[in-house]
Amino acid sequence: QEAKKNWDYNKGSNPYEPLPQLNMFTFQLSAMIEEKLLEGQTIGETTYDFAFDLNEFFSVEEGKTTFKHEKDVKKWLERLTKNEKYPFSTSALRKELKHTFWLLDRVASAKALAKLLGDDAVFTHYKIIIAAGDGRDLNEEADAENEFTITLSVGQLTTGVTIPEWTAIMMLSNIASPALYMQAAFRSQNPYHYSEKGKYYKKENAYIFDF
């Protein structure tokens, strides 16, 4: 982005011009479950502060298809669409985030989240694609044939794949590897040009939403 901004046009056209601006927003997801933060945990005579863990937050009940913290995950989804400055909180933001990539830790979590998204008043209008578990090539599904898509992944499509329609990635797992984090983070920054109602557009912005 620095090279794009400081390009010397005496050298010719700017090769970085098609790249969207990459914007990163971080959210403290633990603030959504304040009652647990206040409770902490008592072991013996010692009370320990609640330690938030992203993979635990999206963990699934053993042998079931529902989240352990189903109520909290539903609350999180609701805040995504209603709280000011959250990714899907306005129609303008939803229009800019028509196609997004959500990275989770487990296949079971992706399937449980897909079910909740399908039941949500806002997200029910999205084509939910689970890129996990069966190894299918899903490039063709996450495209303009569907006006709104959400691709749920547990690692697939984070490298070597270009789906230009993606405008954002949602980091919903603990990623220990900086390399994997960076590879995933840049999935949304690919150049993309498209036409709509006779007008020509290009993707100006891409987003990382880190929880």
Side-chain angles (χ1 to χ4, degrees):
Q1 291 182 168
E2 185 176 347
K4 176 181 176 179
K5 180 180 177 181
N6 298 323
W7 179 256
D8 181 359
Y9 284 90
N10 292 321
K11 296 179 181 178
S13 60
N14 188 341
Y16 305 103
E17 189 61 38
L19 282 178
Q21 173 77 21
L22 189 61
N23 308 276
M24 184 173 187
F25 294 86
T26 59
F27 299 85
Q28 191 173 358
L29 201 152
S30 57
M32 298 181 181
I33 46 175
E34 292 166 354
E35 64 274 11
K36 291 188 179 179
L37 293 175
L38 294 172
E39 285 173 12
Q41 184 178 19
T42 301
I43 300 175
E45 296 182 355
T46 305
T47 299
Y48 296 89
D49 291 337
F50 175 79
F52 181 80
D53 182 275
L54 201 52
N55 291 349
E56 169 62 24
F57 183 77
F58 288 107
S59 62
V60 174
E61 292 280 5
E62 187 75 29
K64 296 183 180 180
T65 59
T66 55
F67 288 111
K68 287 181 183 177
H69 311 286
E70 186 101 348
K71 183 179 74 172
D72 293 318
V73 175
K74 286 181 177 179
K75 186 190 296 183
W76 171 73
L77 280 178
E78 182 181 14
R79 293 198 176 192
L80 281 185
T81 61
K82 292 183 179 179
N83 278 32
E84 186 180 4
K85 296 183 180 180
Y86 274 65
F88 299 89
S89 58
T90 68
S91 57
L93 286 172
R94 291 169 201 160
K95 186 176 181 181
E96 189 162 8
L97 302 174
K98 284 184 176 182
H99 305 283
T100 57
F101 180 73
W102 300 23
L103 187 60
L104 293 121
D105 179 55
R106 304 176 183 89
V107 173
S109 300
K111 291 180 177 179
L113 186 54
K115 183 178 185 305
L116 289 189
L117 288 168
D119 294 337
D120 185 271
V122 171
F123 293 115
T124 190
H125 304 294
Y126 289 69
K127 165 76 173 179
I128 309 300
I129 301 158
I130 301 179
D134 53 16
R136 290 181 300 148
D137 184 354
L138 295 162
N139 285 28
E140 294 181 4
E141 284 197 52
D143 64 14
E145 289 183 12
N146 300 287
E147 186 178 4
F148 297 92
T149 69
I150 291 173
T151 302
L152 305 177
S153 173
V154 296
Q156 290 90 335
L157 307 182
T158 57
T159 59
V161 174
T162 299
I163 297 181
E165 288 87 352
W166 281 344
T167 52
I169 177 167
M170 304 266 283
M171 297 292 194
L172 304 178
S173 66
N174 302 333
I175 301 177
S177 163
L180 176 58
Y181 186 96
M182 295 301 289
Q183 288 167 351
F186 286 99
R187 290 303 91 200
S188 63
Q189 205 193 13
N190 295 304
Y192 178 49
H193 297 82
Y194 61 99
S195 60
E196 192 174 283
K197 296 180 180 179
K199 292 186 177 182
Y200 186 71
Y201 300 92
K202 72 173 183 177
K203 183 165 62 175
E204 299 285 357
N205 287 285
Y207 301 91
I208 302 167
F209 297 115
D210 192 319
F211 292 87

